[in-house]
Amino acid sequence: IDQAGNKVSSINEKNKSFIFSGKANYTKIEIKQTVSGNAGDKEKCFEYKFAIDNSTEYNLETSSVCNNSSKIANGGSVYLRKDDVVTIGNDGTNNEIPVGSVYSFAKVGDNDYTTTWDGATTSADNSGDKTMVAIAATDYNSKNVTTVNREKNIAVNTGVVMGSIIYIILAIAGVAGLTYMVKSKKNA
């Protein structure tokens, strides 16, 4: 009996045969995108390459305004902006990805952003880039939700004045001292 209470198998005691009934378990994948940092472009569409251990084409639902199709297969791309969510493997009613499937998402380009994955295992490729790797849940009630954050920070220039303030003060003091000396000499 599965978690939903459905009878999925039984043993025939007479001839010791195993009888299986029911349907295979399926799941879906959900990826959420966040963008942070003082230089993170909140409107940019970031590309991720999708890989899965089968050749099936899956439904793709997204809240993104980026150019995504309604289907994706092994090797396809997903584009996400800040706060976008993409769901792969749900036709609106049923989940489509077989439980136990191995899938991954790899960021494409944008090496000036730091990429972190929450809710997934990561591995580094030859360039040190992080790729999210996961195995679909073993339970059809489980959620395969991963959040990816793209962060970009730059040093904030505090202005010329802060770095040069000591020189400006010395120059003012020098001019004031020189002015005092010139005026003193004229009066003498």
Side-chain angles (χ1 to χ4, degrees):
I1 297 182
D2 67 9
Q3 289 183 350
N6 300 316
K7 183 177 178 182
V8 294
S9 66
S10 62
I11 297 176
N12 183 330
E13 290 296 324
K14 191 174 198 178
N15 61 11
K16 302 292 184 192
S17 62
F18 181 76
I19 302 167
F20 177 81
S21 62
K23 60 182 181 178
N25 287 332
Y26 295 91
T27 189
K28 63 184 175 184
I29 302 165
E30 189 173 284
I31 303 293
K32 297 178 182 179
Q33 166 81 45
T34 61
V35 178
S36 63
N38 62 8
D41 186 349
K42 314 297 191 259
E43 300 300 314
K44 181 177 179 68
C45 292
F46 294 95
E47 181 181 5
Y48 299 92
K49 206 55 113 166
F50 175 66
I52 192 160
D53 62 356
N54 61 56
S55 59
T56 304
E57 186 174 68
Y58 295 106
N59 286 300
L60 184 141
E61 297 173 24
T62 181
S63 63
S64 179
V65 296
C66 299
N67 188 20
N68 286 305
S69 66
S70 61
K71 300 274 187 183
I72 191 167
N74 186 34
S77 290
V78 174
Y79 300 88
L80 299 171
R81 290 189 328 173
K82 181 183 186 314
D83 297 329
D84 283 349
V85 177
V86 65
T87 303
I88 297 174
N90 186 290
D91 66 4
T93 309
N94 300 306
N95 292 333
E96 303 173 314
I97 297 176
V99 166
S101 296
V102 178
Y103 63 92
S104 67
F105 284 88
K107 76 175 189 134
V108 176
D110 300 310
N111 292 329
D112 53 340
Y113 282 81
T114 302
T115 304
T116 55
W117 302 87
D118 179 29
T121 304
T122 59
S123 67
D125 66 12
N126 293 335
S127 68
D129 230 358
K130 293 291 185 185
T131 298
M132 185 278 287
V133 180
I135 298 173
T138 56
D139 177 354
Y140 64 91
N141 290 320
S142 296
K143 293 182 179 177
N144 298 299
V145 179
T146 302
T147 301
V148 59
N149 183 55
R150 301 298 284 269
E151 182 176 16
K152 182 177 182 182
N153 287 303
I154 58 171
V156 177
N157 187 355
T158 57
V160 176
V161 175
M162 294 306 290
S164 306
I165 193 75
I166 190 71
Y167 300 109
I168 294 170
I169 292 171
L170 287 173
I172 292 171
V175 169
L178 190 61
T179 305
Y180 176 74
M181 285 176 29
V182 169
K183 283 191 175 187
S184 295
K185 205 168 200 176
K186 279 187 180 179
N187 292 338

